[in-house]
Amino acid sequence: IVLGKDWRNFILKIAPRANVIVINNAVSLPVFYNKEISKLRKFLFLGALIQRKGVIDLLQAVKQMKNQGVSDFCLLIAGSGTEEQRLKEYAQTNGLQGCVEFLGWITKEQKPELLKKADVLVLPSYNEGLPIAILEAMSYGLPIISTDVGSIAEAVKENENGFLIKPGDVDSLAHAMIQLTNNSNLWKQESNTSKKICEKNFSENVFFEAVEKVYRGLYR
C-alpha cells in the first residue's frame, strides 16, 4: 500500500510483479462553514523550517510582491527548525517584517484555529509525498499553492483548487500568490473546490473503505 501514483511507479520499477495499491492519506473533515472573502489575504506556511521546504523561496516571492506594490496580504510562517534564524534575518534585512509573521511551533490544538484564520496554504517544498498539511488545509477550504513534487498533483489541481509550480521557481510562486491576492472571485472559487475535492477523495471514510476493500480481498 502506497500513498500515491508516483510511489506506485517507483515500487514497480524495483519489483515489476508487485501488487501495489494506492491509498492516499486522509483527514477528518471539520464542522466548518464556507470561508468568507477577507480584505487581507492571509497566506500560511505550516511545517518544519528546514531547507528542503523551500521557505526562503517563499520569502523571496513575498519580496517580489512587495516590490510590485502588492500590499493586501500577509504571510504566516508556522513552524520551527534549523532554518528559522536564517529566515528571520532575511525577512528583517529585506524589510518584510510588516507582512511576514513567524508564529513558532504550532500544537495540534492550535492548528484548527490557524486554518480557520488563513486563506491560502503555500508549500514550496523540493520533495514531499502527499503532506497531511495540504489535505488539512483543503478540508478547511484553503486553495493550495505548492510545488509539483511527490503525489501532490493528486490533490492539487491547477486552475481548480490552486497552483502547481516547479521547485525553486520564485517568479511563478509570486505570480500565484498575486493572483489569489488580487482576484477574490478566483480565491472563492478555488476555496470551494478545495473543500469539495477533500470531501470526495481524502476523507477518513474514503480511506477506511479503501483499506477494508484491500483486507477483504486478501481472504477471497
Side-chain angles (χ1 to χ4, degrees), residues 91-210:
Q92 185 172 5
T93 301
N94 290 277
L96 305 181
Q97 304 97 314
C99 54
V100 176
E101 183 178 356
F102 289 86
L103 303 178
W105 185 254
I106 298 297
T107 66
K108 182 180 179 181
E109 292 73 26
Q110 292 171 313
K111 192 184 296 185
E113 287 303 315
L114 183 58
L115 290 170
K116 289 179 184 178
K117 178 181 178 181
D119 297 310
V120 180
L121 183 82
V122 190
L123 188 65
S125 296
Y126 283 72
N127 59 72
E128 290 285 354
L130 179 54
I132 289 291
I134 283 182
L135 303 183
E136 288 177 330
M138 288 172 59
S139 76
Y140 279 83
L142 273 65
I144 310 296
I145 300 173
S146 179
T147 42
D148 190 2
V149 296
S151 300
I152 290 175
E154 294 179 35
V156 182
K157 308 299 181 183
E158 185 80 25
N159 299 318
E160 292 185 31
N161 71 318
F163 292 81
L164 290 171
I165 62 172
K166 294 179 180 179
D169 189 346
V170 174
D171 291 344
S172 294
L173 179 56
H175 174 75
M177 293 174 72
I178 290 171
Q179 288 284 95
L180 287 174
T181 299
N182 291 342
N183 191 334
S184 291
N185 290 333
L186 175 65
W187 174 85
K188 184 63 175 175
Q189 174 187 322
E190 295 199 345
S191 170
N192 292 337
T193 303
S194 228
K195 192 173 181 185
K196 289 176 182 176
I197 290 174
C198 190
E199 290 172 349
K200 181 180 178 181
N201 299 327
F202 302 104
S203 71
E204 286 184 338
N205 287 341
V206 172
F207 174 85
F208 291 133
E209 287 174 4

Side-chain angles (χ1 to χ4, degrees), residues 41-45 58 65 72-77 118-122 145 176-178 180-181:
R41 191 74 71 239
K42 293 177 284 294
F43 294 91
L44 171 66
F45 171 86
L58 182 50
M65 294 172 73
D72 295 336
F73 78 98
C74 67
L75 170 63
L76 306 173
I77 297 179
D119 297 310
V120 180
L121 183 82
V122 190
I145 300 173
M177 293 174 72
I178 290 171
L180 287 174
T181 299

